[in-house]
Amino acid sequence: MTSTATTVPHILLVNPWIHDFAAYDFWAAPLGLLTLGGILRDHGARISFVDCLDRFHPLQAALPLVDKRCGRGPYMKTTIPKPPGLADIPRNYCRYGVPPEWLRHDLAVLPPPDLVLVTSLMTYWYPGVRETIAVIKSVFPDVPVVLGGIYATLCAEHAERHCGADHVISGPGEAAILPLVARLTGWRPTPRHDPTDLDTLPLPALDLTRRLVHVPLLTSRGCPFQCAYCASHRLQPRMMRRSPTSVVAEIVHWHRDHGVKDFAFYDDALLVDAERHIVPLLEGVIEAGITVRFHTPNALHIRNITRPLAILMRRAGFHTIRLGLETTAFERRQSMDRKVTEEEFLRALNHLKAAGFAADQVGAYLLAGLPGQDVAAVESSIAVVKAAGITPVIAHYTPIPHTPMWEAAVEASRYDLAADPIYTNNAIFPCRSETFSWEVLTRLKTLARA
């Protein structure tokens, strides 16, 4: 590596708190932030990582809870006041993650950084981002703080006005990170990677986490579909893929060198063009002779599941399968997406069952709280999924700016969605009709679990 700066910077990565009515570690990790950390470290920068959501912080009096089957578990939480406008929500609002004094301690024992990078995820989690940045600035008042991530991309103007960061960066960060660091620190290493070729990027700096119980895998970026409720095209305009060989090498690395058994695919379109992507990838995992568990929290495209692929998925170690069904009102779904027909749904389920997957391993996401949706539609979808012999998983609809469904959501909501992202929180069902009372929502969840 060559550089025009004599001082190599110390760059701090921070995963912020979550402020919400509910949060749980379903294989969550700040993959984008740690990918940038991997790039910076590979160029020679000194990297530190502080995780406000750290489930394994050493200051805990008791051992944290861990689902030994798959590495999931609850975050620490503290009840805090509800945001303005949400006082009527009959649930506790919490800060999820470590107490503020623990964060201040973790920051204070670090060598002072030259730059702090903070990530963001859900748009309505920005209060946790804002509080995190305020604590960082109280400890390092003269260090520039840069905010990136999903919220910073979808709500850039709001982030600039409300979150306290010195700089807000929108969009994918792999191409922007080195010029950004050069501008803010003067350090200019010679680029070693091509951001348009995912195989040239180093592994994310997941080894900086305190305890690595699960690993996120992103084998591709972008999605060929344009569903009305999804912002994938806004977040990643180009469809790019890693080679199956590079993904297998990463899985083997985390398993053999770090003892990781659980891997969660973060792809939006994992099974698309299966013969050239997921099939050789899973064949490579089998050939490596490792025993791991794969999980798909982001949902799989149903029509791509064939009998041979289902068998291969089972052999390679798929453990938790989530299907992107969204609704069983197949005849009316054209305005929402074109991902599946009823025949394709039932055929895919037959393939998965024939491959040996149990009913509790396969779930179908069903959207609830869509603009104009009635209770009967959700009840019918739950019944259809249960009759098919798998688990219905209620997914609360989140209105997302820049999606085709956004305007309908704004019109249908009892909140001013455009004024404040806090009102897009799916836990409050911002677009529910009068028939969607809290009692009805509780009944739907009970019906899905029964």
Side-chain angles (χ1 to χ4, degrees):
M1 183 200 73
T2 60
S3 173
T4 59
T6 57
T7 302
V8 174
H10 172 212
I11 299 175
L12 172 61
L13 315 176
V14 179
N15 190 33
W17 283 307
I18 293 172
H19 287 191
D20 204 344
F21 294 99
Y24 192 87
D25 180 5
F26 286 105
W27 308 290
L31 181 57
L33 180 69
L34 292 174
T35 296
L36 299 186
I39 292 172
L40 292 168
R41 185 170 62 180
D42 198 51
H43 283 82
R46 293 178 293 150
I47 302 297
S48 297
F49 175 55
V50 170
D51 187 2
C52 293
L53 301 179
D54 189 354
R55 288 167 45 207
F56 306 100
H57 198 285
L59 293 179
Q60 291 187 91
L63 293 175
L65 297 174
V66 180
D67 184 337
K68 293 182 179 180
R69 295 174 303 163
C70 56
R72 304 177 302 181
Y75 298 117
M76 290 176 278
K77 66 178 180 180
T78 305
T79 301
I80 57 177
K82 296 172 187 175
L86 300 183
D88 63 328
I89 303 301
R91 305 176 67 177
N92 287 331
Y93 192 74
C94 297
R95 176 198 300 111
Y96 289 87
V98 303
E101 58 271 22
W102 295 10
L103 174 58
R104 292 190 183 93
H105 170 270
D106 291 346
L107 295 173
V109 298
L110 290 173
D114 300 292
L115 178 65
V116 181
L117 305 181
V118 180
T119 189
S120 61
L121 192 57
M122 301 298 188
T123 56
Y124 49 85
W125 284 352
Y126 79 83
V129 173
R130 180 172 58 198
E131 186 186 20
T132 302
I133 292 174
V135 173
I136 293 169
K137 284 191 163 292
S138 72
V139 179
F140 303 122
D142 300 320
V143 178
V145 176
V146 178
L147 175 65
I150 293 176
Y151 160 67
T153 298
L154 296 178
C155 303
E157 292 183 4
H158 185 274
E160 290 171 354
R161 293 196 306 269
H162 295 282
C163 281
D166 299 292
H167 307 275
V168 175
I169 304 300
S170 297
E174 290 83 359
I177 187 61
L178 291 181
L180 172 72
V181 172
R183 177 162 58 91
L184 297 178
T185 71
W187 178 65
R188 291 178 171 80
T190 302
R192 295 165 52 90
H193 312 115
D194 178 1
T196 66
D197 183 353
L198 301 182
D199 284 343
T200 69
L201 300 180
L203 292 180
L206 291 160
D207 54 288
L208 296 180
T209 59
R210 202 178 306 273
R211 181 177 170 190
L212 195 56
V213 293
H214 51 69
V215 160
L217 294 171
L218 193 58
T219 77
S220 61
R221 309 283 181 91
C223 181
F225 299 96
Q226 298 190 39
C227 301
Y229 46 80
C230 180
S232 177
H233 278 265
R234 180 81 176 191
L235 298 170
Q236 180 59 61
R238 274 190 68 195
M239 183 75 186
M240 296 187 291
R241 274 187 167 155
R242 298 169 59 187
S243 69
T245 301
S246 73
V247 180
V248 172
E250 179 180 6
I251 295 169
V252 170
H253 166 77
W254 295 124
H255 177 67
R256 291 183 175 165
D257 295 354
H258 296 269
V260 178
K261 294 182 179 179
D262 291 283
F263 295 83
F265 285 106
Y266 279 16
D267 297 61
D268 290 322
L270 180 65
L271 303 187
V272 171
D273 194 17
E275 291 301 320
R276 292 196 295 178
H277 189 64
I278 192 63
V279 168
L281 193 163
L282 297 184
E283 288 174 342
V285 170
I286 294 170
E287 291 172 4
I290 59 177
T291 301
V292 295
R293 291 181 291 257
F294 293 118
H295 313 279
T296 61
N298 276 19
L300 301 177
H301 289 102
I302 294 169
R303 67 159 47 116
N304 298 109
I305 299 175
T306 63
R307 181 68 60 90
L309 179 55
I311 294 171
L312 186 61
M313 290 164 61
R314 178 72 174 166
R315 290 181 58 209
F318 271 66
H319 184 81
T320 308
I321 294 177
R322 293 292 177 260
L323 305 175
L325 181 59
E326 323 310 356
T327 180
T328 60
F330 296 100
E331 72 283 357
R332 297 197 300 272
R333 70 181 301 145
Q334 293 302 306
S335 62
M336 191 168 64
D337 63 45
R338 293 180 172 82
K339 290 193 294 189
V340 65
T341 66
E342 182 175 11
E343 180 183 1
E344 290 167 336
F345 169 58
L346 296 176
R347 184 167 59 236
L349 292 189
N350 287 334
H351 295 331
L352 292 170
K353 292 176 184 177
F357 287 102
D360 62 351
Q361 290 182 287
V362 183
Y365 285 132
L366 298 173
L367 281 171
L370 291 162
Q373 188 180 40
D374 59 31
V375 175
V378 183
E379 291 176 329
S380 175
S381 293
I382 292 172
V384 169
V385 171
K386 293 179 71 173
I390 62 171
T391 304
V393 181
I394 302 296
H396 301 189
Y397 167 64
T398 301
I400 303 176
H402 311 292
T403 62
M405 197 175 284
W406 173 250
E407 294 301 327
V410 170
E411 183 176 348
S413 181
R414 64 196 184 280
Y415 300 106
D416 188 350
L417 302 185
D420 193 334
I422 199 72
Y423 299 131
T424 65
N425 191 325
N426 62 6
I428 68 174
F429 280 86
C431 297
R432 66 182 173 92
S433 66
E434 292 300 320
T435 59
F436 271 87
S437 66
W438 290 105
E439 292 75 19
V440 168
L441 296 174
T442 299
R443 178 166 59 81
L444 289 174
K445 292 181 180 179
T446 302
L447 181 63
R449 290 194 299 264

